Amino acid sequence: MSQQRREPWIVGVSGASGTPFAAAVLRGLLAAGESVDLVVSRASRLTLLDETGIAFRDAHWQEDLRSWLARGADGKPHTFDVDVSGVRHWAAGDLAAGPSSGSYPAKGMLIVPASTACVAGVALGLSKDLLQRAASVTLKERRKLVVAVRETPLNGQTLKHMVTLDEAGAVVLPASPAFYAGATHIQDLVDFVAGRVLDAAGVPHLLYRRWAGELGGGSPG
């Protein structure tokens, strides 16, 4: 009997501020039973260290990933209990990795958060590292690409790059939390953005309360 082919979502984490967004997306994918191929850029490791105190190391990536995903958006450790056995990690400098080829099976790619440098690199097809190369492959194979831009304000050049990505078939999704879902904690705002990323990918989740047409429905009462 043949085994079912693994078909993961590729998750790229760039150097923009917003590592809690990436953590929430990863938790959501794993909770939905999805397989994940993770690419953490060199710049994002500095951001992760600054925002969480966690040093993401290739040689100890499972241990570091568990610590990261267990941490709440408020910085408290051991907030979540996450099984990372469904994750495969690829080093950002490994341009011979599976996701660098269109023949590698994948459902699509989520870049969370996406820095303006990352947006520019993908829009221009630079493929300077595995994250950008995997995104280019995702576009050329006509797979779903969601780019969660985390920057403000945005200059004209970045806006042009975002239009280029949209025209290429990507979903450009600014990391903009909403308040109608009744957020009372920072984690609620993070989960809203992560939920919208998963919505764009078509992955089911329960990360936020959806709008039901009732004014005041999100009020904490």
Side-chain angles (χ1 to χ4, degrees):
M1 182 181 295
S2 61
Q3 293 183 340
Q4 184 177 1
R5 184 177 73 164
R6 182 177 182 273
E7 194 173 14
W9 283 98
I10 301 167
V11 176
V13 186
S14 81
S17 176
T19 54
F21 294 129
V25 166
L26 288 166
R27 287 192 297 265
L29 288 170
L30 295 173
E34 300 285 348
S35 297
V36 173
D37 276 21
L38 178 63
V39 181
V40 182
S41 77
R42 292 178 180 176
S44 70
R45 297 174 193 227
L46 296 176
T47 306
L48 182 63
L49 180 63
D50 183 57
E51 294 185 346
T52 70
I54 296 172
F56 193 90
R57 303 160 294 176
D58 288 336
H60 303 279
W61 69 267
Q62 287 179 309
E63 173 188 346
D64 298 335
L65 180 62
R66 276 192 293 267
S67 296
W68 177 23
L69 299 191
R71 185 177 295 263
D74 58 2
K76 293 181 181 178
H78 313 301
T79 299
F80 299 98
D81 184 15
V82 183
D83 179 4
V84 300
S85 60
V87 181
R88 182 173 185 178
H89 168 256
W90 299 96
D94 185 5
L95 290 176
S100 67
S101 172
S103 66
Y104 183 78
K107 291 183 177 180
M109 183 173 184
L110 316 175
I111 305 178
V112 189
S115 65
T116 54
C118 175
V119 168
V122 176
L124 297 174
L126 298 182
S127 296
K128 72 168 189 175
D129 60 9
L130 180 59
L131 193 159
Q132 291 185 12
R133 172 59 186 169
S136 294
V137 167
T138 301
L139 287 175
K140 80 179 183 68
E141 296 296 325
R142 301 297 190 266
R143 296 170 183 158
K144 180 75 73 176
L145 175 64
V146 182
V147 183
V149 184
R150 216 308 304 159
E151 185 61 86
T152 190
L154 297 169
N155 64 28
Q157 199 61 48
T158 297
L159 291 170
K160 291 177 182 177
H161 290 150
M162 291 165 65
V163 170
T164 297
L165 290 178
D166 176 78
E167 292 174 341
V171 176
V172 179
L173 193 152
S176 303
F179 296 84
Y180 62 76
T184 57
H185 301 284
I186 186 174
Q187 189 67 56
D188 297 328
L189 298 175
V190 168
D191 284 348
F192 178 87
V193 172
R196 295 299 287 151
V197 171
L198 296 179
D199 286 345
V203 176
H205 66 87
L206 297 173
L207 288 176
Y208 69 89
R209 185 188 65 82
R210 298 182 182 278
W211 175 252
E214 180 184 354
L215 292 176
S219 173

